[in-house]
């Protein structure tokens, strides 16, 4: 089946703390054959201008650009591209957008925090972000996910839900969606497998094979 949308959990799946963000960058960079030993304090310098700029900055450090001021310039209107950086490597992380597939994040965090984190860390990569709001039940209730899908004009069975815990699997089931679990989140692969998700992926690139 060809899926028309992807809904992500936030914590443990696409975002958690500075340490988790750094680990995510290291993981993605390592899988693509790049420097992947950034520590937490370095990771903080990568983020702030969105995911694209974070990857550009990581690749820039690998290329020998370490001046904090120059790194901060990356991702600003004055420096949207970086000399010596292969933009095709960054594009590998943005393949969902290139396919025209709507993406969203749904989290049990308060709605304002979810929207701010989505804007700060994933600018232009997410079409919608929804968190806990008065009058709308939290996950694993399907309410928030159903609202996003309604805005997209897409039926639940036409979309994938991506998460890392039993709450996400339950949310997907309650909404009528297949759930894809990530192996790098808050639960072990053995535990996730016991919950019978639609699939378990070890890298973000594997998600593309399911679409």
């Amino acid at each position: 089946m060809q899926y028309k949308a992807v809904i992500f959990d936030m914590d443990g799946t696409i975002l958690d703390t500075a340490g988790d963000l750094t680990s995510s960058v290291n993981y993605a960079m390592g899988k693509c054959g790049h420097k992947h030993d950034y520590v937490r304090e370095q990771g903080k310098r990568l983020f702030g201008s969105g995911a694209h700029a974070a990857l550009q900055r990581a690749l820039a450090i690998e290329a020998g650009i370490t001046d904090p001021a120059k790194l901060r310039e990356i991702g600003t209107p004055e420096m949207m591209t970086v000399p010596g950086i292969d933009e095709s490597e960054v594009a590998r992380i943005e393949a969902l957008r290139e396919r025209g597939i709507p993406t969203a994040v749904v989290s049990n965090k308060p709605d304002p925090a979810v929207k701010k984190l989505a804007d700060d860390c994933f600018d232009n990569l997410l079409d919608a972000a929804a968190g806990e709001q008065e009058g709308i039940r939290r996950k694993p209730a399907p309410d928030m996910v159903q609202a996003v899908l309604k805005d997209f004009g897409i039926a639940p069975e036409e979309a994938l839900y991506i998460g890392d815990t039993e709450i996400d699997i339950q949310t997907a089931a309650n909404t009528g969606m297949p759930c894809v679990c990530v192996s790098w989140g808050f639960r072990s692969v053995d535990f996730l497998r016991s919950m019978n998700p639609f699939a378990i992926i070890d890298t973000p690139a594997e998600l593309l094979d399911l679409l």
Side-chain angles (χ1 to χ4, degrees), residues 86-103:
D86 185 354
E87 284 294 315
S88 67
E89 291 296 287
V90 181
R92 292 170 68 180
I93 311 298
E94 299 173 324
L96 287 176
R97 299 291 290 172
E98 292 175 357
R99 293 189 183 193
I101 296 174
T103 57

Side-chain angles (χ1 to χ4, degrees), residues 15 23 133 149 176 194-195 199:
L15 182 66
S23 296
Q133 306 170 53
L149 291 174
S194 74
M195 300 287 291

Side-chain angles (χ1 to χ4, degrees), residues 96-200:
L96 287 176
R97 299 291 290 172
E98 292 175 357
R99 293 189 183 193
I101 296 174
T103 57
V105 61
V106 173
S107 171
N108 280 337
K109 286 181 179 294
D111 189 63
V114 172
K115 287 181 167 54
K116 185 176 189 311
L117 286 168
D119 287 342
D120 288 349
C121 298
F122 300 99
D123 62 332
N124 299 320
L125 292 181
L126 296 169
D127 297 287
E132 183 181 17
Q133 306 170 53
E134 186 175 352
I136 300 180
R137 293 179 298 170
R138 291 163 55 90
K139 297 186 302 180
D143 300 37
M144 290 190 289
V145 177
Q146 288 174 337
V148 169
L149 291 174
K150 183 178 179 180
D151 287 342
F152 285 169
I154 293 173
E157 62 272 15
E158 296 179 312
L160 288 178
Y161 187 95
I162 317 299
D164 69 316
T165 72
E166 66 278 8
I167 297 298
D168 299 312
I169 295 173
Q170 294 162 5
T171 300
N174 291 339
T175 312
M177 302 172 66
C179 185
V180 176
C181 289
V182 302
S183 64
W184 58 82
F186 291 170
R187 299 292 184 270
S188 70
V189 171
D190 287 342
F191 175 81
L192 294 173
R193 191 174 289 120
S194 74
M195 300 287 291
N196 297 312
F198 176 69
I200 299 175

